[in-house]
Amino acid sequence: MARARSAARGRSRAGYPAADLRARAAAWQGKHVAVRGLGLSTYDVLRGLTMGQGGRFDAAGYHASGREPCRILPFSLNGQPPFPKPQAAGFDALFDPTSEETTGFSEAAIAAVDAGPEAAPSLISDALLPVVARILAPQNVRVTEIADWLNVEWSDPGAQDQLPPMKALRHGIELAAGEVAPSIGYTLGQVWRKWQDTWRAAFNPRDASPQTAKRLIDFDEGLKRYSYGPHLASARELLALIDAGLVDLSFATNPEITNSAQGWTLQAEGHAAEVSVIVDAVLPAPNLSSIAAPPLPDLISQGLLSQLSSDLAAATAPDGTLRAPDGRPVPGLCLLGRLALGSVTAVDSLHDCFGQSAGRWAQCVIDRLSV
């Protein structure tokens, strides 16, 4: 994605803290604002720019307060909004695995984490196949079709979802509302959502090789377009903002961005738009080499913290203890959360604020204090 070289006369703002964004947005009335990202954070940003400025939603659509930006232009690398989760409890239950299927997946996931990068994908796929085949049996979906979908997903995540942004948004709403039959990808994603705790329980307490961790994490990250989708109501709010003429997805797919007198110019498919503000709604990759704030650079230079690989973050033990470059634990130094991606999986979730990784760390602190 092209990036502007300087702020020019425009301003680039972070999407969080949300309260700060709402306060700043009060000065953007009537301006053109772009939003970098189309994930869950973008929905938060859109609320700050609309409801946060006094607008409201009801069954008829969006009712503007007049204090909103004139036009909001979200964009991302692929222009694909995430798929909403099923709304109705009965429909959501369609994707529930049985206890036996969950046990089988747990065993397969543990084996995959311990396996090499070539064997791990087939172990995961073999556990997913029968569950998805059972759910889609009424549609006469063949196992070979599901297997083919999985094979492409492992090699090129997201390649099978390439609808234009507006069609993708509407199709996602139809899927989540049960208005169209669930697709292979949507079914797989919802089953994967149901297995998030089981997946973490298999991955996080173990030491996958960096190569295996990379393959498994790429698969999990790719499926987040389904498994971490917004509520259906949020997707409908986005559609209502588009129908109201406030949000425009015309530049959603990887626009070219250049400096302009006003701020930036977005260009896509022969069209151009000037914006004076870009809100960044994308979390940066957990790349340790790009972090300048202490203490991480000093820990790295002193050999007390190492990166699993160039594609993954910090090497830690299951209790969060840092690992030195030679693999030995570094007593007394622990790290939890997003900067340990690769040592742990699926880090952008409330599961990881209150999950077992923190519990293992706390227990080890207690054990050390009692010695």
Side-chain angles (χ1 to χ4, degrees), residues 123-159:
L123 290 165
I124 297 294
S125 291
D126 288 349
L128 282 164
L129 270 169
V131 186
V132 177
R134 172 180 60 77
I135 294 170
L136 295 181
Q139 297 173 223
N140 297 316
V141 176
R142 298 189 302 273
V143 172
T144 53
E145 294 179 77
I146 303 168
D148 289 344
W149 197 98
L150 278 164
N151 287 336
V152 174
E153 183 68 12
W154 280 106
S155 61
D156 193 2

PDB file of all heavy atoms in Angstrom, residues 123-159:
ATOM      1  N   LEU A 123      -2.886 -32.216   9.513  1.00  0.00           N
ATOM      2  CA  LEU A 123      -3.467 -32.636  10.791  1.00  0.00           C
ATOM      3  C   LEU A 123      -4.641 -31.739  11.168  1.00  0.00           C
ATOM      4  O   LEU A 123      -5.690 -32.216  11.630  1.00  0.00           O
ATOM      5  CB  LEU A 123      -2.398 -32.602  11.881  1.00  0.00           C
ATOM      6  CG  LEU A 123      -1.304 -33.668  11.773  1.00  0.00           C
ATOM      7  CD1 LEU A 123      -0.116 -33.315  12.665  1.00  0.00           C
ATOM      8  CD2 LEU A 123      -1.862 -35.037  12.146  1.00  0.00           C
ATOM      9  N   ILE A 124      -4.488 -30.436  10.978  1.00  0.00           N
ATOM     10  CA  ILE A 124      -5.585 -29.504  11.266  1.00  0.00           C
ATOM     11  C   ILE A 124      -6.734 -29.714  10.284  1.00  0.00           C
ATOM     12  O   ILE A 124      -7.917 -29.770  10.666  1.00  0.00           O
ATOM     13  CB  ILE A 124      -5.079 -28.053  11.209  1.00  0.00           C
ATOM     14  CG1 ILE A 124      -4.009 -27.797  12.289  1.00  0.00           C
ATOM     15  CG2 ILE A 124      -6.235 -27.072  11.355  1.00  0.00           C
ATOM     16  CD1 ILE A 124      -4.514 -27.868  13.706  1.00  0.00           C
ATOM     17  N   SER A 125      -6.414 -29.821   9.003  1.00  0.00           N
ATOM     18  CA  SER A 125      -7.452 -29.978   7.994  1.00  0.00           C
ATOM     19  C   SER A 125      -8.246 -31.262   8.192  1.00  0.00           C
ATOM     20  O   SER A 125      -9.478 -31.284   8.034  1.00  0.00           O
ATOM     21  CB  SER A 125      -6.830 -29.973   6.591  1.00  0.00           C
ATOM     22  OG  SER A 125      -6.322 -28.695   6.273  1.00  0.00           O
ATOM     23  N   ASP A 126      -7.561 -32.333   8.544  1.00  0.00           N
ATOM     24  CA  ASP A 126      -8.252 -33.612   8.741  1.00  0.00           C
ATOM     25  C   ASP A 126      -9.236 -33.556   9.905  1.00  0.00           C
ATOM     26  O   ASP A 126     -10.234 -34.290   9.910  1.00  0.00           O
ATOM     27  CB  ASP A 126      -7.233 -34.726   8.990  1.00  0.00           C
ATOM     28  CG  ASP A 126      -6.461 -35.107   7.731  1.00  0.00           C
ATOM     29  OD1 ASP A 126      -6.859 -34.652   6.632  1.00  0.00           O
ATOM     30  OD2 ASP A 126      -5.446 -35.820   7.839  1.00  0.00           O
ATOM     31  N   ALA A 127      -8.976 -32.692  10.884  1.00  0.00           N
ATOM     32  CA  ALA A 127      -9.916 -32.539  11.999  1.00  0.00           C
ATOM     33  C   ALA A 127     -11.089 -31.636  11.615  1.00  0.00           C
ATOM     34  O   ALA A 127     -12.212 -31.817  12.107  1.00  0.00           O
ATOM     35  CB  ALA A 127      -9.192 -31.963  13.217  1.00  0.00           C
ATOM     36  N   LEU A 128     -10.851 -30.667  10.744  1.00  0.00           N
ATOM     37  CA  LEU A 128     -11.909 -29.754  10.321  1.00  0.00           C
ATOM     38  C   LEU A 128     -12.858 -30.386   9.302  1.00  0.00           C
ATOM     39  O   LEU A 128     -14.069 -30.133   9.322  1.00  0.00           O
ATOM     40  CB  LEU A 128     -11.297 -28.494   9.713  1.00  0.00           C
ATOM     41  CG  LEU A 128     -10.747 -27.445  10.684  1.00  0.00           C
ATOM     42  CD1 LEU A 128      -9.836 -26.466   9.945  1.00  0.00           C
ATOM     43  CD2 LEU A 128     -11.889 -26.688  11.344  1.00  0.00           C
ATOM     44  N   LEU A 129     -12.313 -31.210   8.424  1.00  0.00           N
ATOM     45  CA  LEU A 129     -13.089 -31.745   7.301  1.00  0.00           C
ATOM     46  C   LEU A 129     -14.398 -32.424   7.702  1.00  0.00           C
ATOM     47  O   LEU A 129     -15.468 -32.066   7.181  1.00  0.00           O
ATOM     48  CB  LEU A 129     -12.225 -32.714   6.493  1.00  0.00           C
ATOM     49  CG  LEU A 129     -11.417 -32.128   5.345  1.00  0.00           C
ATOM     50  CD1 LEU A 129     -10.419 -33.141   4.808  1.00  0.00           C
ATOM     51  CD2 LEU A 129     -12.356 -31.702   4.222  1.00  0.00           C
ATOM     52  N   PRO A 130     -14.363 -33.395   8.612  1.00  0.00           N
ATOM     53  CA  PRO A 130     -15.632 -34.083   8.909  1.00  0.00           C
ATOM     54  C   PRO A 130     -16.669 -33.194   9.567  1.00  0.00           C
ATOM     55  O   PRO A 130     -17.871 -33.394   9.372  1.00  0.00           O
ATOM     56  CB  PRO A 130     -15.192 -35.230   9.837  1.00  0.00           C
ATOM     57  CG  PRO A 130     -13.877 -34.809  10.394  1.00  0.00           C
ATOM     58  CD  PRO A 130     -13.225 -33.986   9.336  1.00  0.00           C
ATOM     59  N   VAL A 131     -16.235 -32.211  10.337  1.00  0.00           N
ATOM     60  CA  VAL A 131     -17.179 -31.308  10.997  1.00  0.00           C
ATOM     61  C   VAL A 131     -17.887 -30.447   9.953  1.00  0.00           C
ATOM     62  O   VAL A 131     -19.125 -30.321   9.948  1.00  0.00           O
ATOM     63  CB  VAL A 131     -16.463 -30.416  12.022  1.00  0.00           C
ATOM     64  CG1 VAL A 131     -17.459 -29.589  12.806  1.00  0.00           C
ATOM     65  CG2 VAL A 131     -15.603 -31.254  12.957  1.00  0.00           C
ATOM     66  N   VAL A 132     -17.119 -29.852   9.066  1.00  0.00           N
ATOM     67  CA  VAL A 132     -17.697 -29.000   8.030  1.00  0.00           C
ATOM     68  C   VAL A 132     -18.553 -29.833   7.076  1.00  0.00           C
ATOM     69  O   VAL A 132     -19.631 -29.395   6.646  1.00  0.00           O
ATOM     70  CB  VAL A 132     -16.588 -28.249   7.281  1.00  0.00           C
ATOM     71  CG1 VAL A 132     -17.158 -27.420   6.142  1.00  0.00           C
ATOM     72  CG2 VAL A 132     -15.810 -27.367   8.252  1.00  0.00           C
ATOM     73  N   ALA A 133     -18.099 -31.039   6.758  1.00  0.00           N
ATOM     74  CA  ALA A 133     -18.878 -31.910   5.881  1.00  0.00           C
ATOM     75  C   ALA A 133     -20.223 -32.260   6.513  1.00  0.00           C
ATOM     76  O   ALA A 133     -21.252 -32.290   5.819  1.00  0.00           O
ATOM     77  CB  ALA A 133     -18.085 -33.175   5.576  1.00  0.00           C
ATOM     78  N   ARG A 134     -20.237 -32.504   7.801  1.00  0.00           N
ATOM     79  CA  ARG A 134     -21.498 -32.803   8.496  1.00  0.00           C
ATOM     80  C   ARG A 134     -22.451 -31.611   8.433  1.00  0.00           C
ATOM     81  O   ARG A 134     -23.639 -31.762   8.145  1.00  0.00           O
ATOM     82  CB  ARG A 134     -21.206 -33.178   9.955  1.00  0.00           C
ATOM     83  CG  ARG A 134     -22.466 -33.313  10.813  1.00  0.00           C
ATOM     84  CD  ARG A 134     -22.158 -33.672  12.249  1.00  0.00           C
ATOM     85  NE  ARG A 134     -21.335 -32.692  12.932  1.00  0.00           N
ATOM     86  CZ  ARG A 134     -21.784 -31.519  13.406  1.00  0.00           C
ATOM     87  NH1 ARG A 134     -23.060 -31.165  13.232  1.00  0.00           N
ATOM     88  NH2 ARG A 134     -20.961 -30.705  14.045  1.00  0.00           N
ATOM     89  N   ILE A 135     -21.923 -30.419   8.690  1.00  0.00           N
ATOM     90  CA  ILE A 135     -22.768 -29.223   8.715  1.00  0.00           C
ATOM     91  C   ILE A 135     -23.331 -28.923   7.322  1.00  0.00           C
ATOM     92  O   ILE A 135     -24.498 -28.526   7.179  1.00  0.00           O
ATOM     93  CB  ILE A 135     -21.965 -28.024   9.255  1.00  0.00           C
ATOM     94  CG1 ILE A 135     -21.605 -28.258  10.723  1.00  0.00           C
ATOM     95  CG2 ILE A 135     -22.754 -26.721   9.098  1.00  0.00           C
ATOM     96  CD1 ILE A 135     -20.609 -27.255  11.280  1.00  0.00           C
ATOM     97  N   LEU A 136     -22.520 -29.137   6.295  1.00  0.00           N
ATOM     98  CA  LEU A 136     -22.928 -28.785   4.938  1.00  0.00           C
ATOM     99  C   LEU A 136     -23.542 -29.959   4.175  1.00  0.00           C
ATOM    100  O   LEU A 136     -23.867 -29.815   2.980  1.00  0.00           O
ATOM    101  CB  LEU A 136     -21.724 -28.240   4.159  1.00  0.00           C
ATOM    102  CG  LEU A 136     -21.139 -26.920   4.683  1.00  0.00           C
ATOM    103  CD1 LEU A 136     -19.968 -26.479   3.825  1.00  0.00           C
ATOM    104  CD2 LEU A 136     -22.197 -25.820   4.729  1.00  0.00           C
ATOM    105  N   ALA A 137     -23.727 -31.085   4.841  1.00  0.00           N
ATOM    106  CA  ALA A 137     -24.311 -32.251   4.178  1.00  0.00           C
ATOM    107  C   ALA A 137     -25.667 -31.952   3.538  1.00  0.00           C
ATOM    108  O   ALA A 137     -25.938 -32.423   2.418  1.00  0.00           O
ATOM    109  CB  ALA A 137     -24.421 -33.415   5.163  1.00  0.00           C
ATOM    110  N   PRO A 138     -26.560 -31.180   4.191  1.00  0.00           N
ATOM    111  CA  PRO A 138     -27.855 -30.876   3.541  1.00  0.00           C
ATOM    112  C   PRO A 138     -27.715 -30.130   2.220  1.00  0.00           C
ATOM    113  O   PRO A 138     -28.644 -30.134   1.407  1.00  0.00           O
ATOM    114  CB  PRO A 138     -28.569 -30.021   4.593  1.00  0.00           C
ATOM    115  CG  PRO A 138     -27.957 -30.413   5.895  1.00  0.00           C
ATOM    116  CD  PRO A 138     -26.524 -30.675   5.573  1.00  0.00           C
ATOM    117  N   GLN A 139     -26.569 -29.488   1.996  1.00  0.00           N
ATOM    118  CA  GLN A 139     -26.348 -28.769   0.745  1.00  0.00           C
ATOM    119  C   GLN A 139     -25.629 -29.628  -0.287  1.00  0.00           C
ATOM    120  O   GLN A 139     -25.273 -29.145  -1.360  1.00  0.00           O
ATOM    121  CB  GLN A 139     -25.519 -27.506   1.002  1.00  0.00           C
ATOM    122  CG  GLN A 139     -26.192 -26.503   1.910  1.00  0.00           C
ATOM    123  CD  GLN A 139     -25.260 -25.360   2.278  1.00  0.00           C
ATOM    124  OE1 GLN A 139     -25.204 -24.934   3.425  1.00  0.00           O
ATOM    125  NE2 GLN A 139     -24.510 -24.837   1.306  1.00  0.00           N
ATOM    126  N   ASN A 140     -25.355 -30.886   0.084  1.00  0.00           N
ATOM    127  CA  ASN A 140     -24.661 -31.815  -0.818  1.00  0.00           C
ATOM    128  C   ASN A 140     -23.266 -31.321  -1.206  1.00  0.00           C
ATOM    129  O   ASN A 140     -22.810 -31.523  -2.342  1.00  0.00           O
ATOM    130  CB  ASN A 140     -25.494 -32.063  -2.079  1.00  0.00           C
ATOM    131  CG  ASN A 140     -26.824 -32.738  -1.773  1.00  0.00           C
ATOM    132  OD1 ASN A 140     -26.876 -33.689  -0.973  1.00  0.00           O
ATOM    133  ND2 ASN A 140     -27.891 -32.254  -2.377  1.00  0.00           N
ATOM    134  N   VAL A 141     -22.605 -30.653  -0.268  1.00  0.00           N
ATOM    135  CA  VAL A 141     -21.228 -30.210  -0.496  1.00  0.00           C
ATOM    136  C   VAL A 141     -20.305 -31.410  -0.315  1.00  0.00           C
ATOM    137  O   VAL A 141     -20.343 -32.096   0.705  1.00  0.00           O
ATOM    138  CB  VAL A 141     -20.840 -29.085   0.473  1.00  0.00           C
ATOM    139  CG1 VAL A 141     -19.379 -28.700   0.291  1.00  0.00           C
ATOM    140  CG2 VAL A 141     -21.733 -27.871   0.262  1.00  0.00           C
ATOM    141  N   ARG A 142     -19.468 -31.660  -1.293  1.00  0.00           N
ATOM    142  CA  ARG A 142     -18.591 -32.830  -1.259  1.00  0.00           C
ATOM    143  C   ARG A 142     -17.366 -32.569  -0.378  1.00  0.00           C
ATOM    144  O   ARG A 142     -16.883 -31.433  -0.276  1.00  0.00           O
ATOM    145  CB  ARG A 142     -18.136 -33.208  -2.668  1.00  0.00           C
ATOM    146  CG  ARG A 142     -19.283 -33.604  -3.597  1.00  0.00           C
ATOM    147  CD  ARG A 142     -18.762 -34.176  -4.907  1.00  0.00           C
ATOM    148  NE  ARG A 142     -17.897 -33.232  -5.599  1.00  0.00           N
ATOM    149  CZ  ARG A 142     -18.332 -32.296  -6.438  1.00  0.00           C
ATOM    150  NH1 ARG A 142     -19.642 -32.157  -6.658  1.00  0.00           N
ATOM    151  NH2 ARG A 142     -17.477 -31.489  -7.033  1.00  0.00           N
ATOM    152  N   VAL A 143     -16.872 -33.633   0.234  1.00  0.00           N
ATOM    153  CA  VAL A 143     -15.664 -33.533   1.058  1.00  0.00           C
ATOM    154  C   VAL A 143     -14.494 -33.019   0.230  1.00  0.00           C
ATOM    155  O   VAL A 143     -13.664 -32.241   0.718  1.00  0.00           O
ATOM    156  CB  VAL A 143     -15.339 -34.894   1.707  1.00  0.00           C
ATOM    157  CG1 VAL A 143     -13.985 -34.839   2.409  1.00  0.00           C
ATOM    158  CG2 VAL A 143     -16.426 -35.305   2.689  1.00  0.00           C
ATOM    159  N   THR A 144     -14.430 -33.425  -1.027  1.00  0.00           N
ATOM    160  CA  THR A 144     -13.321 -32.975  -1.879  1.00  0.00           C
ATOM    161  C   THR A 144     -13.361 -31.461  -2.083  1.00  0.00           C
ATOM    162  O   THR A 144     -12.309 -30.815  -2.188  1.00  0.00           O
ATOM    163  CB  THR A 144     -13.361 -33.678  -3.240  1.00  0.00           C
ATOM    164  OG1 THR A 144     -14.670 -33.511  -3.827  1.00  0.00           O
ATOM    165  CG2 THR A 144     -13.060 -35.162  -3.092  1.00  0.00           C
ATOM    166  N   GLU A 145     -14.560 -30.882  -2.138  1.00  0.00           N
ATOM    167  CA  GLU A 145     -14.672 -29.423  -2.272  1.00  0.00           C
ATOM    168  C   GLU A 145     -14.122 -28.719  -1.036  1.00  0.00           C
ATOM    169  O   GLU A 145     -13.436 -27.693  -1.134  1.00  0.00           O
ATOM    170  CB  GLU A 145     -16.131 -29.016  -2.477  1.00  0.00           C
ATOM    171  CG  GLU A 145     -16.754 -29.479  -3.784  1.00  0.00           C
ATOM    172  CD  GLU A 145     -18.207 -29.057  -3.874  1.00  0.00           C
ATOM    173  OE1 GLU A 145     -18.474 -27.867  -4.147  1.00  0.00           O
ATOM    174  OE2 GLU A 145     -19.087 -29.920  -3.652  1.00  0.00           O
ATOM    175  N   ILE A 146     -14.449 -29.281   0.129  1.00  0.00           N
ATOM    176  CA  ILE A 146     -13.955 -28.694   1.382  1.00  0.00           C
ATOM    177  C   ILE A 146     -12.439 -28.826   1.459  1.00  0.00           C
ATOM    178  O   ILE A 146     -11.730 -27.891   1.844  1.00  0.00           O
ATOM    179  CB  ILE A 146     -14.632 -29.370   2.590  1.00  0.00           C
ATOM    180  CG1 ILE A 146     -16.156 -29.242   2.476  1.00  0.00           C
ATOM    181  CG2 ILE A 146     -14.132 -28.768   3.897  1.00  0.00           C
ATOM    182  CD1 ILE A 146     -16.914 -30.102   3.458  1.00  0.00           C
ATOM    183  N   ALA A 147     -11.935 -29.994   1.078  1.00  0.00           N
ATOM    184  CA  ALA A 147     -10.490 -30.221   1.102  1.00  0.00           C
ATOM    185  C   ALA A 147      -9.777 -29.262   0.165  1.00  0.00           C
ATOM    186  O   ALA A 147      -8.712 -28.707   0.503  1.00  0.00           O
ATOM    187  CB  ALA A 147     -10.180 -31.665   0.730  1.00  0.00           C
ATOM    188  N   ASP A 148     -10.346 -29.051  -1.019  1.00  0.00           N
ATOM    189  CA  ASP A 148      -9.735 -28.113  -1.974  1.00  0.00           C
ATOM    190  C   ASP A 148      -9.712 -26.699  -1.397  1.00  0.00           C
ATOM    191  O   ASP A 148      -8.724 -25.965  -1.549  1.00  0.00           O
ATOM    192  CB  ASP A 148     -10.506 -28.126  -3.294  1.00  0.00           C
ATOM    193  CG  ASP A 148     -10.310 -29.421  -4.077  1.00  0.00           C
ATOM    194  OD1 ASP A 148      -9.363 -30.166  -3.762  1.00  0.00           O
ATOM    195  OD2 ASP A 148     -11.119 -29.686  -4.990  1.00  0.00           O
ATOM    196  N   TRP A 149     -10.813 -26.294  -0.746  1.00  0.00           N
ATOM    197  CA  TRP A 149     -10.875 -24.957  -0.154  1.00  0.00           C
ATOM    198  C   TRP A 149      -9.781 -24.808   0.906  1.00  0.00           C
ATOM    199  O   TRP A 149      -9.080 -23.781   0.950  1.00  0.00           O
ATOM    200  CB  TRP A 149     -12.253 -24.727   0.460  1.00  0.00           C
ATOM    201  CG  TRP A 149     -12.575 -23.291   0.728  1.00  0.00           C
ATOM    202  CD1 TRP A 149     -13.305 -22.447  -0.046  1.00  0.00           C
ATOM    203  CD2 TRP A 149     -12.144 -22.511   1.863  1.00  0.00           C
ATOM    204  NE1 TRP A 149     -13.373 -21.198   0.516  1.00  0.00           N
ATOM    205  CE2 TRP A 149     -12.668 -21.197   1.698  1.00  0.00           C
ATOM    206  CE3 TRP A 149     -11.384 -22.780   2.988  1.00  0.00           C
ATOM    207  CZ2 TRP A 149     -12.446 -20.177   2.618  1.00  0.00           C
ATOM    208  CZ3 TRP A 149     -11.158 -21.761   3.904  1.00  0.00           C
ATOM    209  CH2 TRP A 149     -11.681 -20.476   3.724  1.00  0.00           C
ATOM    210  N   LEU A 150      -9.628 -25.819   1.740  1.00  0.00           N
ATOM    211  CA  LEU A 150      -8.613 -25.769   2.790  1.00  0.00           C
ATOM    212  C   LEU A 150      -7.208 -25.711   2.204  1.00  0.00           C
ATOM    213  O   LEU A 150      -6.345 -24.971   2.700  1.00  0.00           O
ATOM    214  CB  LEU A 150      -8.755 -26.981   3.708  1.00  0.00           C
ATOM    215  CG  LEU A 150      -9.823 -26.873   4.788  1.00  0.00           C
ATOM    216  CD1 LEU A 150     -10.141 -28.251   5.365  1.00  0.00           C
ATOM    217  CD2 LEU A 150      -9.379 -25.933   5.901  1.00  0.00           C
ATOM    218  N   ASN A 151      -6.961 -26.472   1.153  1.00  0.00           N
ATOM    219  CA  ASN A 151      -5.627 -26.473   0.547  1.00  0.00           C
ATOM    220  C   ASN A 151      -5.260 -25.078   0.038  1.00  0.00           C
ATOM    221  O   ASN A 151      -4.121 -24.617   0.227  1.00  0.00           O
ATOM    222  CB  ASN A 151      -5.570 -27.485  -0.601  1.00  0.00           C
ATOM    223  CG  ASN A 151      -5.547 -28.912  -0.109  1.00  0.00           C
ATOM    224  OD1 ASN A 151      -5.138 -29.184   1.022  1.00  0.00           O
ATOM    225  ND2 ASN A 151      -5.999 -29.842  -0.949  1.00  0.00           N
ATOM    226  N   VAL A 152      -6.209 -24.410  -0.594  1.00  0.00           N
ATOM    227  CA  VAL A 152      -5.933 -23.050  -1.078  1.00  0.00           C
ATOM    228  C   VAL A 152      -5.735 -22.096   0.096  1.00  0.00           C
ATOM    229  O   VAL A 152      -4.856 -21.233   0.070  1.00  0.00           O
ATOM    230  CB  VAL A 152      -7.080 -22.565  -1.989  1.00  0.00           C
ATOM    231  CG1 VAL A 152      -6.864 -21.100  -2.378  1.00  0.00           C
ATOM    232  CG2 VAL A 152      -7.178 -23.432  -3.230  1.00  0.00           C
ATOM    233  N   GLU A 153      -6.538 -22.274   1.141  1.00  0.00           N
ATOM    234  CA  GLU A 153      -6.429 -21.388   2.302  1.00  0.00           C
ATOM    235  C   GLU A 153      -5.063 -21.506   2.970  1.00  0.00           C
ATOM    236  O   GLU A 153      -4.488 -20.508   3.421  1.00  0.00           O
ATOM    237  CB  GLU A 153      -7.545 -21.703   3.297  1.00  0.00           C
ATOM    238  CG  GLU A 153      -7.580 -20.786   4.515  1.00  0.00           C
ATOM    239  CD  GLU A 153      -7.970 -19.359   4.193  1.00  0.00           C
ATOM    240  OE1 GLU A 153      -8.436 -19.081   3.059  1.00  0.00           O
ATOM    241  OE2 GLU A 153      -7.803 -18.490   5.075  1.00  0.00           O
ATOM    242  N   TRP A 154      -4.540 -22.706   3.052  1.00  0.00           N
ATOM    243  CA  TRP A 154      -3.213 -22.889   3.650  1.00  0.00           C
ATOM    244  C   TRP A 154      -2.131 -22.213   2.813  1.00  0.00           C
ATOM    245  O   TRP A 154      -1.173 -21.648   3.350  1.00  0.00           O
ATOM    246  CB  TRP A 154      -2.893 -24.379   3.790  1.00  0.00           C
ATOM    247  CG  TRP A 154      -3.521 -25.034   4.977  1.00  0.00           C
ATOM    248  CD1 TRP A 154      -4.588 -25.885   4.977  1.00  0.00           C
ATOM    249  CD2 TRP A 154      -3.124 -24.907   6.354  1.00  0.00           C
ATOM    250  NE1 TRP A 154      -4.882 -26.295   6.262  1.00  0.00           N
ATOM    251  CE2 TRP A 154      -4.009 -25.713   7.122  1.00  0.00           C
ATOM    252  CE3 TRP A 154      -2.129 -24.187   7.004  1.00  0.00           C
ATOM    253  CZ2 TRP A 154      -3.901 -25.815   8.512  1.00  0.00           C
ATOM    254  CZ3 TRP A 154      -2.020 -24.292   8.389  1.00  0.00           C
ATOM    255  CH2 TRP A 154      -2.897 -25.092   9.125  1.00  0.00           C
ATOM    256  N   SER A 155      -2.280 -22.254   1.499  1.00  0.00           N
ATOM    257  CA  SER A 155      -1.231 -21.712   0.634  1.00  0.00           C
ATOM    258  C   SER A 155      -1.399 -20.221   0.350  1.00  0.00           C
ATOM    259  O   SER A 155      -0.417 -19.507   0.145  1.00  0.00           O
ATOM    260  CB  SER A 155      -1.196 -22.482  -0.694  1.00  0.00           C
ATOM    261  OG  SER A 155      -2.431 -22.353  -1.386  1.00  0.00           O
ATOM    262  N   ASP A 156      -2.659 -19.743   0.345  1.00  0.00           N
ATOM    263  CA  ASP A 156      -2.911 -18.340  -0.006  1.00  0.00           C
ATOM    264  C   ASP A 156      -4.130 -17.844   0.762  1.00  0.00           C
ATOM    265  O   ASP A 156      -5.225 -17.726   0.195  1.00  0.00           O
ATOM    266  CB  ASP A 156      -3.134 -18.217  -1.513  1.00  0.00           C
ATOM    267  CG  ASP A 156      -3.084 -16.780  -2.009  1.00  0.00           C
ATOM    268  OD1 ASP A 156      -2.842 -15.875  -1.172  1.00  0.00           O
ATOM    269  OD2 ASP A 156      -3.290 -16.560  -3.214  1.00  0.00           O
ATOM    270  N   PRO A 157      -3.972 -17.527   2.057  1.00  0.00           N
ATOM    271  CA  PRO A 157      -5.123 -17.138   2.876  1.00  0.00           C
ATOM    272  C   PRO A 157      -5.881 -15.950   2.287  1.00  0.00           C
ATOM    273  O   PRO A 157      -5.277 -14.955   1.886  1.00  0.00           O
ATOM    274  CB  PRO A 157      -4.490 -16.767   4.227  1.00  0.00           C
ATOM    275  CG  PRO A 157      -3.196 -17.511   4.264  1.00  0.00           C
ATOM    276  CD  PRO A 157      -2.726 -17.547   2.841  1.00  0.00           C
ATOM    277  N   GLY A 158      -7.203 -16.101   2.221  1.00  0.00           N
ATOM    278  CA  GLY A 158      -8.044 -15.013   1.752  1.00  0.00           C
ATOM    279  C   GLY A 158      -8.238 -14.946   0.257  1.00  0.00           C
ATOM    280  O   GLY A 158      -9.067 -14.167  -0.223  1.00  0.00           O
ATOM    281  N   ALA A 159      -7.503 -15.756  -0.499  1.00  0.00           N
ATOM    282  CA  ALA A 159      -7.570 -15.658  -1.962  1.00  0.00           C
ATOM    283  C   ALA A 159      -8.940 -16.042  -2.503  1.00  0.00           C
ATOM    284  O   ALA A 159      -9.305 -15.643  -3.618  1.00  0.00           O
ATOM    285  CB  ALA A 159      -6.503 -16.544  -2.597  1.00  0.00           C
TER     286      ALA A 159
END
